[in-house]
Amino acid sequence: AQKITQTQPGMFVQEKEAVTLDCTYDTSDPSYGLFWYKQPSSGEMIFLIYQGSYDQQNATEGRYSLNFQKARKSANLVISASQLGDSAMYFCAMREGYNQGAQKLVFGQGTRLTINP
Amino acid sequence: GAVVSQHPSRVICKSGTSVKIECRSLDFQATTMFWYRQFPKKSLMLMATSNEGSKATYEQGVEKDKFLINHASLTLSTLTVTSAHPEDSSFYICSAVTSGRAFSEQFFGPGTRLTVL
């Protein structure tokens, strides 16, 4: 079964608009972490934001915020005031467990975001 | 932030040859490194987990004899693609995790694009 699902293969947004990238996950482990990464055409993976399963508040990092709905098992990324430089591939990822050995990341299929001027 | 380098960034080789890819953590010690493979327009697939001083743990379906991983020091892991064939052409990305921190961020290298002719 797919552990991380990103249902939007591609998104097109006008510059300065906000955009929400969807991510749902599946796990029976009560301890897990959710990540969002940005991958521009150069290929590097850029860490954007992290949400722990026990975190009470939604994570925020500058223009990025994570809409964490635990009961729905969703962890959508919200980018406010989008910029042309935000055009890239975006991956949602999950890590299960809460110990030193639980470091493996499982990635979703990705969403290609294109910001139009 | 922590920096992970990969060398080479691009390699083109003939079918049947072996290729070694290096992954280095430049300003921190990494007890665990991960190797991922990414096909064009696809997600990252974990190949193996590499722990310093011990044998790598391979994911199901990954050939151990094909993809040799060595993690000889706390700052260096190598992936050797043995007897490479065109189907091994892909983007290989490593990541590193610092020790002593659960739920710590994975720092990704810039990736290596392998083309086997």
Side-chain angles (χ1 to χ4, degrees), chain A residues 104, chain B residues 32-37 45-51 55-60 62 64 67-69 77 79 93-95:
Chain A
K104 294 197 308 184
Chain B
T32 302
M33 290 184 172
F34 299 91
W35 286 96
Y36 295 86
R37 183 175 182 175
M45 298 297 293
L46 180 66
M47 298 173 66
T49 302
S50 168
N51 291 299
K55 290 185 179 180
T57 303
Y58 290 82
E59 294 299 301
Q60 194 172 9
V62 177
K64 300 178 184 181
F67 299 100
L68 300 178
I69 292 172
S77 176
L79 167 68
I93 308 176
C94 72
S95 70

Side-chain angles (χ1 to χ4, degrees), chain A residues 89-107:
Chain A
M89 197 75 173
Y90 288 79
F91 290 99
C92 179
M94 179 175 67
R95 184 169 62 200
E96 293 172 295
Y98 195 74
N99 56 53
Q100 193 63 28
Q103 305 279 14
K104 294 197 308 184
L105 286 178
V106 176
F107 285 85

Side-chain angles (χ1 to χ4, degrees), chain A residues 31-33 35 37 39 41-45 47 50 52-53 89 91 95 97-100 103-105 107-110 112, chain B residues 31-32 34 36 38 41-44 46 49 59 91 93 97-111 113:
Chain A
S31 302
Y32 54 89
F35 301 76
Y37 287 88
Q39 187 180 41
S41 56
S42 57
E44 61 190 302
M45 295 292 285
F47 167 75
Y50 164 79
S53 60
M89 197 75 173
F91 290 99
R95 184 169 62 200
Y98 195 74
N99 56 53
Q100 193 63 28
Q103 305 279 14
K104 294 197 308 184
L105 286 178
F107 285 85
Q109 308 93 313
R112 179 162 297 281
Chain B
T31 51
T32 302
F34 299 91
Y36 295 86
Q38 186 180 29
K41 300 184 179 180
K42 297 292 185 183
S43 186
L44 279 74
L46 180 66
T49 302
E59 294 299 301
F91 191 57
I93 308 176
V97 181
T98 56
S99 60
R101 295 170 60 188
F103 273 131
S104 58
E105 180 186 339
Q106 275 192 33
F107 301 99
F108 284 83
R113 192 164 303 281

Side-chain angles (χ1 to χ4, degrees), chain A residues 1-5 24-34 51-54 68-75 93-98 102 104 106, chain B residues 103:
Chain A
Q2 193 78 16
K3 291 211 167 190
I4 294 283
T5 303
T24 57
Y25 59 92
D26 183 27
T27 181
S28 57
D29 195 322
S31 302
Y32 54 89
L34 297 158
Q51 180 86 41
S53 60
Y54 296 116
F68 182 44
Q69 299 193 31
K70 198 169 182 177
R72 291 186 175 184
K73 293 189 175 179
S74 76
M94 179 175 67
R95 184 169 62 200
E96 293 172 295
Y98 195 74
K104 294 197 308 184
V106 176
Chain B
F103 273 131

